[in-house]
Each structure stands twice: as C-alpha cells, then as structure tokens.
Amino acid sequence: MSIYINKDTKVVVQGITGNEGSFHARACLEYGTSIVAGVTPGKGGQKMDAVPVFNTVKQAVEATGADISLIFVPPPFGADAIMEAADSGVNLIVTITEGLPVFDMVKVKNFLATKKCRLIGPNCPGIITPEESKVGIMPGWIHKKGNIGVISRSGTLTYEVVDQLTKLGMGQSTCIGIGGDPVNGTNFIDVLEAFQNDDETSAVVMVGEIGGSAEEEAAVYIKKNLTKPVVGFIAGLTAPPGRRMGHAGAIISGSSGTGAAKIKAFKENGIHVCENLGLIGQTCKDVFS
Amino acid sequence: MKIHEYQAKELFRQYSVPVPEGKAVFSVEEAKEAAQNLDGFPVVVKAQIHAGGRGKGGGVKLASSMEEVETLANEILGMTLVTRQTGPEGRVVKKLLIEAGQKIEKELYLSLLVDRATASIVIMASRDGGMDIEQVAEKTPERIVKVHVDPLMGIQGYQLRQVGFGLELPAAAMKQFSQLLSNLYKFFAAKDCSLAEINPLILTADDQVLALDAKVDFDSNALYRHKELMELRDLDEEDLMEVEASKYNLNYINLDGNVGNIVNGAGLAMATMDIIKNAGAAPANFMDVGGGASSEQVENAFRIILADDKVKAVLINIFGGILRCDNFARGVVDAAKKTGINIPVVVRMEGTNVEEGKKILDDANLGLASAVDLIDAAEQIAASVN
C-alpha cells in the first residue's frame, strides 16, 4: 500500500498542451506514471505525444477511466479547472498552479464540500509514491521506495528532506506537498490520518512553515491519534512579522503563525523536532531506528 | 497589496460605506484649501503612510483653526513618523488626509478577513474600538463578536443582526449599521480584499455610524482582475530593492543581517535564513528565485543582492528540480562577469544536473567556495562574516 496513489493510478492532465503541462506530463510518463488523457479546451482530438487530448475532463474520464486529475492551468482558470475535475468523477485532484486568488479557493473549498473527491494543493509540488507513480513536478530520481511518509507545505524544501532521507538509506512510502497557500485542499491532518492507516508507512516526517495554525492543530491530532513516530521541522523562524515569505500563506499576522509557537506545539505533543535543516535526515535516522 | 487610508475611504464612498468628509493633500497650501472646504472646525490632520499606530506616533492631530491646520500640516508633512509598525527607522510622511472632525459618542471595531482554517469570510466586531484587537481578543474574548460568512451564499440578514446587536448599538443606529456592514461585505468580495478593517468605527452623538479609519489589504494574486486597484500602489511606501526585485518576479524581502542569500523555493529559502542564523550569522534578505527560475532571473537576483552595501557574504543554496543546476550556474556566472564579485560567496547545489552545474562554476574560475552540504555551507558563511 501507500496513500492516495499507486501503480494502478490513471491520470488525466488538465492543461497538457501548455509549456508546463507538457513538460511535466512527459516527466511523469518517464517516471512510469500512467497518464491516460490530457485536457485542453478546443484541442480535443489532438495528441500530446501518445496521450489523447480531450475538450472536457468529463469526456476524458468517460473515455479513459482516469481517476486522478493533475492541473497545470494558469491561475485565472484554476478554480474553474478544479470544479470541472470535481464534477467529472475523479477522486483525487492535484493542483500545481501557483497564484490562485484566495477568494476563488474559498469558494472552491465550499464547493468541494459537496463532492466526494480530494484536492491536493494548489501551489504544491504534488504527490509521489516512489517507484510506482508520480503525480507532480518533483524530481522523481531523488526518491526511493520505503516506509517513511513525508508531508510538507513546500516544494524544494521537501526535495531537500527526501534527498537526505534517501542518501541515508531511508525510503519513502508516499510524499505529499499540500501547498503554500492560505486556503488549500488536503491538510496535514488528512494526510496524517491516511499515513496512520497505511501498513507500509512506519514513520512520518512533517515539514511546516510559518503562517496559520495548521501545524498546531496537526500536533494535537498526532498526540491523540498517531502511534507512529513523527519528526517535525518548521521553516521561517527568522522571518519578520507581517511579510509574505514567498508562499501566499507564509505570513505571521500579529502574534499568530510564528515558528516559535509551532515548535512549541510540536514539542508539547511528542513530535521530535529538528531545528536545523542540515540535520533532518540524521534526526530521522536516530528517531526512527 | 496595501493602500493608504485616504484611498480606502475613497473606495468605501463608492460602496456607500459612510466616512467623514475629507481630502488627500500633498502640500501645506492644499491642506489649507481642503480645510477651507470643510464645514468648520475641528479638522483632523492625518499622516498617510502604510503603517498602523500613526496616532500614537504623533501623525494624527486635531486643528481648531486655520492657523493650526497650517502649523500641523507643516509639522507633519516631511516628518519621519515612527510607529510600532514602521520599525525604528520610521517612514517619511508625503501625504496628508484633511478630514472633518466628528462628535464621537462611542468607538467600535469592525473588520472582515479571510479565515484560512474555515475557508470563509469572518466578521470581527467589538465594542472596544480604537484598541489593538489582538489584545481585546486575548484579554476579553467575550467582548468580540465573530460571524463566519459562507462565500457562496454571501452575507445574510441574521448575520448583520448578530453583529449589530452584538455591538449593543442603539435601535436608531441599527438600520444604518446593517447597511454599512452589508456594503462593506460587497466591497470586500468584489475587490478581493484580504482585510478590511475599521478601527474605530464610530457612533456619533446623533446615532450615525461611520468609518473614522480605514485599513484595506488586497490579495495580490487577484490583482490581475482589478486593474483599477493597481493604480493605488504607492512605490514610495516600498523598499527600493524590493520594487526592483518584483520587476523580475523574484520574491525578495530586505532584512537587517549581512549574509545575502539566493535560494530556489520559498520554504527552502526560509529554512536557509534559519540555517544562517543557527550558524551564528544573520540573513540580509529573503530571496526566492522560484522553483523554476530562468538563468536571467538568477542573474538579476545575484545582481540585486551584490548591490546591497550591507551584504558581506552570499550563500547560494539551490536544490535543482525544475530549475536545473547547470542553468542556475550559468546565471551566476553571467551575473558575476557583469557585476564582479568582491565578497565571499559560498555555493551549495544539489539535485538535477548538479555535476554539470559545479563544473560550470569551477571552469568560470570566479573564486566561489563550494560546500558539500548545508551544515558545511552555513559554517563557511558564518566564518566569512564573523
């Protein structure tokens, strides 16, 4: 097992004929992901390499049985693309697009509450179950199959963590970037619950950052519900208040969302905190062995 | 994106959210003229900068005559206003808002913001206006009224009543307040605000409610659909280097330390700042060139950092994913050739095409130090500035 995706996953890529969409669709195919369809309105009937392109997600799903959508459309069309995917019957939507207006995401999130599908992102690197399926933009080759679940709000920071794990011989069950936006789909708690229920995951690394209170809520959840060990890291301890640190969601507002508060919550709830990114692989090795 | 109080009030007027009569001015002459056009005295002279705490800092004063308007305008225009939000260096005042004074019966608090946790718009209101709302929330949470609005449904009548009665408004003011809040919500949703705060919202002696102050922040991601708002951006209120970086879509924030750093990805960039601090030095900036930066962006990032006088050393930390290390290295070499490097630079690269990247940097012979891992990078950089 693994969580959310595996070797049988069938993916439709929305925005497959764009620069980013085609580049990453090819990289996913190379990794072994089964990409069965693409969608670009007005380009139905064409092909991206060997992948058939459809005008609507619904047509793509009906023709190919795709169960996951991977979205690369530009921000003004992001909310529409997510809602289209949700209405087409896929059960997982992975949105890479960065820069969606918050109000759009607020509406989308309320819309999704009436649907039976899961959203990962937006503004995220996606999800990978090493050596089975990659639905995202992460460099596949740094990952290795194993038993550590990785959850993070960021992209390259996650690659750094994964790279250290792999180099120290610790493989991963599934790695998920939930995205750096203030309002997103799947949150830390959803993923923690899935990792707890996954037989192949024996330990979890959770990478958070300043802004909001998702890490604090996850920490309380971990203490109550997780029997598996968790190593935690928080980025942005030196970030000044009131400034958006690259990610739309990475901002300390007044006294809320500070790194110090998150680390405190981690420690109080039995999470093994690593405060130096250079040592996160080693910390995991020490804690998990 | 932040805007000035006078701009926020102009938008409020467009949406029929009542505000005092007033005008923004740039000179003492204009200030007198604006005061002349108001209906008598007192007149309020308010410094316009993008920071809160202006009153306590001496940037908001009451004038009871034309002579006083002139004196105060003279005094405040051009002054360096230091408030709890400007930092010790303060901000030079270049604009004033000249406004009609009000007979205040009661000061209240009202704000709308996007609530991340519930994915809704939250209305916060309190009878304790004029105070820091965070302090009110901490000390007397029972005095705060909080109402969540479903963005798909919009604000409902019962929610307007919940807030109005929660504020214990007199019956005579209730209808007008409901109208105000309903209009404020319309404005908030129509313009993609991330915050609209009125502190204080006042109740006058004749039971009128109006926004005595106005603070509005827009969601930068939504500005593409509000071209009219882009015109409200005031570059005077922004850091020059940050403005320059924004031209190249670089996420850059100027900080106090002396170790410049260039990183791809926001999370990794924050973690890199933390590593610099951990090693006993201090970051001079946050610089995220993005997960998929072009070599041109890298070149500009490097140029901007090197132009910063306080920077005594630079740490480059790249994890190549979409951004390949060889492309990144080319950007660094181009920038170095154009600007010249005369301070220590430590490079730590990992990920896609890392060997090619290292070779490009080595071959260019720029005197850059390379680090084997993050710990090594941080130690080297700290040693070079301490």
Side-chain angles (χ1 to χ4, degrees):
Chain A
M1 285 231 317
S2 54
I3 71 167
Y4 303 149
I5 63 167
N6 57 39
K7 59 182 187 338
D8 302 321
T9 294
K10 290 202 273 183
V11 182
V12 49
V13 176
Q14 288 174 255
I16 197 166
T17 55
N19 271 341
E20 266 194 74
S22 56
F23 176 85
H24 289 292
R26 287 190 181 111
C28 291
L29 282 163
E30 233 168 77
Y31 193 75
T33 307
S34 163
I35 293 185
V36 296
V39 172
T40 300
K43 294 198 175 170
Q46 299 183 8
K47 286 197 163 181
M48 199 290 298
D49 299 345
V51 181
V53 178
F54 297 85
N55 284 321
T56 69
V57 184
K58 201 165 178 102
Q59 288 170 348
V61 169
E62 276 166 5
T64 64
D67 51 7
I68 292 190
S69 173
L70 175 60
I71 297 181
F72 287 101
V73 308
F77 314 107
D80 184 58
I82 296 170
M83 291 190 281
E84 182 183 1
D87 244 353
S88 72
V90 299
N91 50 43
L92 180 69
I93 303 166
V94 179
T95 305
I96 307 299
T97 308
E98 174 176 3
L100 257 79
V102 180
F103 218 84
D104 288 6
M105 264 316 294
V106 164
K107 286 182 180 161
V108 161
K109 195 146 182 184
N110 283 274
F111 174 82
L112 289 180
T114 66
K115 306 281 168 189
K116 269 197 203 139
C117 64
R118 167 176 300 288
L119 169 68
I120 295 179
N123 189 13
C124 79
I127 169 169
I128 182 169
T129 292
E131 294 161 38
E132 290 195 25
S133 185
K134 165 176 122 103
V135 184
I137 60 173
M138 61 289 278
W141 60 273
I142 60 170
H143 300 77
K144 170 186 152 87
K145 198 168 189 55
N147 303 104
I148 298 179
V150 179
I151 332 166
S152 167
R153 266 166 75 182
S154 89
T156 51
L157 176 55
T158 320
Y159 312 161
E160 174 70 42
V161 172
V162 168
D163 187 55
Q164 288 186 32
L165 291 174
T166 298
K167 281 181 176 152
L168 289 170
M170 291 175 284
Q172 306 90 40
S173 53
T174 299
C175 305
I176 300 183
I178 58 172
D181 275 3
V183 177
N184 59 3
T186 297
N187 63 22
F188 281 124
I189 293 177
D190 299 327
V191 182
L192 288 165
E193 185 185 6
F195 277 142
Q196 174 65 24
N197 295 331
D198 175 37
D199 294 340
E200 256 178 43
T201 302
S202 60
V204 176
V205 181
M206 182 173 150
V207 181
E209 62 190 32
I210 56 158
S213 57
E215 288 83 359
E216 287 90 328
E217 286 147 25
V220 172
Y221 179 87
I222 286 169
K223 184 168 190 179
K224 255 189 168 165
N225 301 287
L226 257 74
T227 55
K228 301 173 183 181
V230 180
V231 165
F233 177 84
I234 299 288
L237 290 166
T238 50
R243 302 300 308 268
R244 245 163 247 285
M245 308 301 286
H247 287 155
I251 179 167
I252 298 169
S253 320
S255 60
S256 94
T258 67
K262 290 173 192 294
I263 292 209
K264 183 163 168 269
F266 275 7
K267 287 183 175 164
E268 282 170 3
N269 289 287
I271 297 164
H272 303 270
V273 176
C274 172
E275 296 198 38
N276 185 336
L277 181 62
L279 296 172
I280 192 149
Q282 193 56 48
T283 307
C284 291
K285 195 162 190 184
D286 296 345
V287 172
F288 298 158
S289 59
Chain B
M1 185 186 81
K2 287 181 182 162
I3 58 171
H4 287 291
E5 175 195 2
Y6 76 88
Q7 296 168 322
K9 283 180 168 167
E10 191 45 55
L11 290 166
F12 279 9
R13 266 188 209 106
Q14 288 171 22
Y15 279 81
S16 304
V17 173
V19 295
E21 211 182 318
K23 192 170 187 277
V25 301
F26 299 80
S27 69
V28 178
E29 275 316 302
E30 282 179 2
K32 283 162 65 184
E33 199 185 309
Q36 201 83 59
N37 291 332
L38 292 174
D39 195 15
F41 290 92
V43 159
V44 193
V45 181
K46 303 184 88 173
Q48 299 293 292
I49 58 168
H50 283 187
R54 290 168 297 162
K56 282 197 185 106
V60 180
K61 299 226 162 122
L62 215 57
S64 49
S65 67
M66 199 49 89
E67 292 70 47
E68 254 188 293
V69 170
E70 185 171 359
T71 316
L72 290 173
N74 247 321
E75 187 184 305
I76 299 175
L77 264 181
M79 84 184 274
T80 302
L81 188 53
V82 180
T83 81
R84 59 187 156 81
Q85 285 181 9
T86 60
E89 70 279 8
R91 204 68 69 71
V92 177
V93 180
K94 293 180 176 167
K95 310 171 183 68
L96 299 174
L97 174 61
I98 304 296
E99 213 171 61
Q102 304 296 320
K103 290 200 182 75
I104 302 172
E105 180 72 20
K106 229 176 172 185
E107 294 195 359
L108 310 162
Y109 173 93
L110 180 66
S111 73
L112 265 65
L113 70 158
V114 177
D115 186 43
R116 311 166 60 136
T118 58
S120 64
I121 311 305
V122 63
I123 301 167
M124 296 242 282
S126 166
R127 280 168 278 159
D128 301 311
M131 291 168 63
D132 179 359
I133 195 68
E134 277 212 355
Q135 279 182 20
V136 179
E138 196 182 309
K139 287 178 189 148
T140 48
E142 71 281 1
R143 293 178 68 87
I144 289 188
V145 185
K146 223 175 176 179
V147 174
H148 292 268
V149 181
D150 178 337
L152 299 179
M153 298 296 291
I155 195 162
Q156 304 299 310
Y158 76 92
Q159 294 175 314
L160 299 172
R161 293 195 296 277
Q162 273 178 352
V163 181
F165 284 107
L167 285 173
E168 295 179 1
L169 290 171
M174 207 60 91
K175 194 175 166 198
Q176 200 218 343
F177 173 78
S178 289
Q179 203 68 60
L180 180 151
L181 179 52
S182 170
N183 290 340
L184 187 64
Y185 183 86
K186 274 181 206 143
F187 161 71
F188 189 92
K191 301 289 185 189
D192 282 286
C193 297
S194 47
L195 172 76
E197 185 181 62
I198 303 177
N199 190 20
L201 173 80
I202 58 159
L203 179 70
T204 62
D206 51 352
D207 287 333
Q208 299 291 306
V209 277
L210 74 172
L212 204 62
D213 196 8
K215 183 177 170 186
V216 169
D217 206 340
F218 298 107
D219 174 11
S220 314
N221 284 349
L223 288 174
Y224 74 86
R225 57 188 175 205
H226 302 292
K227 299 275 183 285
E228 78 287 358
L229 296 177
M230 287 302 290
E231 288 164 23
L232 303 180
R233 183 175 173 190
D234 184 354
L235 295 180
D236 279 351
E237 294 288 328
E238 296 179 33
D239 181 278
L240 278 177
M241 289 171 63
E242 291 180 11
V243 172
E244 173 73 7
S246 70
K247 288 183 198 159
Y248 306 99
N249 281 325
L250 297 164
N251 282 316
Y252 169 85
I253 293 173
N254 198 354
L255 302 170
D256 297 336
N258 59 9
V259 176
N261 56 91
I262 300 175
V263 188
N264 66 325
L268 190 59
M270 282 188 271
T272 302
M273 286 164 44
D274 297 348
I275 280 181
I276 292 168
K277 183 83 181 291
N278 258 328
N285 64 276
F286 166 87
M287 171 71 90
D288 161 23
V289 295
S294 66
S295 54
E296 191 206 351
Q297 273 178 304
V298 172
E299 189 191 319
N300 283 307
F302 205 39
R303 179 178 56 76
I304 288 166
I305 301 262
L306 288 175
D308 185 352
D309 288 340
K310 68 177 184 293
V311 170
K312 300 298 173 222
V314 179
L315 171 59
I316 296 177
N317 183 22
I318 296 300
F319 199 102
I322 312 170
L323 171 60
R324 289 164 21 198
C325 291
D326 52 334
N327 277 345
F328 180 81
R330 278 185 207 105
V332 170
V333 170
D334 286 347
K337 281 185 182 152
K338 279 184 197 161
T339 43
I341 302 177
N342 46 15
I343 52 174
V345 176
V346 177
V347 184
R348 185 273 180 166
M349 277 195 296
E350 206 44 82
T352 310
N353 294 0
V354 62
E355 293 311 323
E356 291 92 322
K358 281 183 178 159
K359 188 168 182 307
I360 289 167
L361 290 183
D362 287 347
D363 290 351
N365 232 333
L366 298 164
L368 310 178
S370 75
V372 293
D373 59 22
L374 278 177
I375 305 265
D376 180 37
E379 279 168 3
Q380 284 196 43
I381 206 80
S384 65
V385 292
N386 289 336

